[in-house]
Amino acid sequence: MVCIQVRGKPPVFVDMPGHWDCGCPEISPDGKMVAFSGLTVGDSPGIENWLVGVDGTGLRKLGIGTSPRWSPDGKQLLITQNVGETPCVFITDVATGKERKICEGRFPDWSPDGNKIVFARGGTRLRESSGDHFDSMLYLTGTDGREEAEFAAGNWPSWSPSGRTIACTTVESDRSLVISIIDVKTRKRTILGVGYYRAQWSGDGKAIVCNGLLVISKGRLERQPVRFWLDQGRIEFFALDLDVPF
């Protein structure tokens, strides 16, 4: 089931029969639709991409894959789709569902001007988590997959609204997971704090929200969403009401 809540309105619940997990929600640039991934049940489960209106209507499947990211004009989605055993970056046309392979890689995101793509590739997967990798690298490329260039170490990249920095997850040598921001021009990296999976930027670029780990007592850790205020140097945790903050 997917829950959508618009400010000032009651939550809308979208039933997803045949799926035991849904995640990676991404709101369209015009704020009218949500793209998300759903994991099917059965002997051969797969991951599908779906679209639905923020009012819960118009649900439709948009092919297989995961981690959809809207293009700045709202006409296309970047997705990760396995080709055999290899994760690859695809662009899907929202209107027609037509797919176009860009390159090998995973978890892509658009630059704000829509001309570049950042994605992750490589690394050794951690046994305890399918979404984190040691020594994975970020790459930049054009929307046609040409002029590919290595950028920096990291995973789950997220381009800032200004286009000047990219946030990502990094697995440190002690297996701790941290959120960093990297300057696109200088490649200078700044660690914000402990966090993991994709960091989501606020519209004004002043804060980042991601999964976080909070020490409760005697070293016990609890997963809670965390917000890093870049302009204040402040960290804020959120209490959970439903489920876990993937």
Side-chain angles (χ1 to χ4, degrees):
M1 182 172 290
V2 176
C3 176
I4 304 169
Q5 184 164 17
V6 179
R7 181 179 296 176
K9 297 182 180 181
V12 174
F13 293 93
V14 181
D15 191 21
M16 294 293 296
H19 297 76
W20 70 271
D21 191 20
C22 295
C24 304
E26 174 80 350
I27 301 171
S28 62
D30 62 8
K32 295 181 179 180
M33 301 191 72
V34 178
F36 63 94
S37 301
L39 184 61
T40 61
V41 297
D43 295 332
S44 300
I47 302 179
E48 304 168 339
N49 284 310
W50 290 79
L51 294 177
V52 68
V54 294
D55 60 356
T57 64
L59 178 68
R60 69 183 176 101
K61 180 180 172 181
L62 197 67
I64 62 174
T66 187
S67 306
R69 299 293 274 187
W70 291 92
S71 61
D73 61 9
K75 295 181 179 180
Q76 298 174 309
L77 285 168
L78 277 172
I79 64 170
T80 300
Q81 185 180 126
N82 282 346
V83 178
E85 297 295 324
T86 304
C88 295
V89 175
F90 281 76
I91 291 180
T92 300
D93 184 271
V94 174
T96 66
K98 185 177 180 180
E99 298 175 341
R100 174 166 57 94
K101 179 183 172 182
I102 301 301
C103 60
E104 294 184 2
R106 61 182 183 272
F107 314 138
D109 194 22
W110 306 84
S111 62
D113 60 11
N115 294 327
K116 291 284 187 179
I117 294 170
V118 60
F119 63 92
R121 180 190 291 160
T124 303
R125 178 175 291 183
L126 300 182
R127 291 182 180 178
E128 62 269 26
S129 174
S130 61
D132 302 304
H133 299 70
F134 275 126
D135 301 325
S136 61
M137 296 295 298
L138 300 181
Y139 295 81
L140 302 180
T141 187
T143 56
D144 56 3
R146 299 177 181 177
E147 300 181 5
E148 181 182 302
E150 188 175 283
F151 176 62
N155 204 11
W156 291 95
S158 182
W159 218 309
S160 68
S162 69
R164 292 192 292 267
T165 54
I166 293 173
C168 67
T169 300
T170 303
V171 183
E172 301 299 291
S173 58
D174 61 354
R175 292 202 170 194
S176 62
L177 302 173
V178 299
I179 297 295
S180 301
I181 54 174
I182 304 172
D183 187 281
V184 173
K185 289 185 177 180
T186 66
R187 313 294 172 91
K188 179 182 178 181
R189 184 168 79 111
T190 303
I191 296 177
L192 299 181
V194 175
Y196 56 104
Y197 289 119
R198 179 163 267 155
Q200 302 285 2
W201 291 85
S202 61
D204 58 12
K206 294 182 179 180
I208 289 175
V209 175
C210 65
N211 274 22
L213 292 173
L214 180 64
V215 178
I216 303 302
S217 64
K218 297 181 180 179
R220 184 172 69 87
L221 298 177
E222 180 177 303
R223 287 187 301 207
Q224 286 193 327
V226 60
R227 175 159 52 186
F228 297 104
W229 292 94
L230 305 185
D231 58 339
Q232 303 175 18
R234 183 165 60 92
I235 298 175
E236 175 186 11
F237 284 92
F238 296 88
L240 291 179
D241 294 323
L242 295 171
D243 210 352
V244 291
F246 289 114

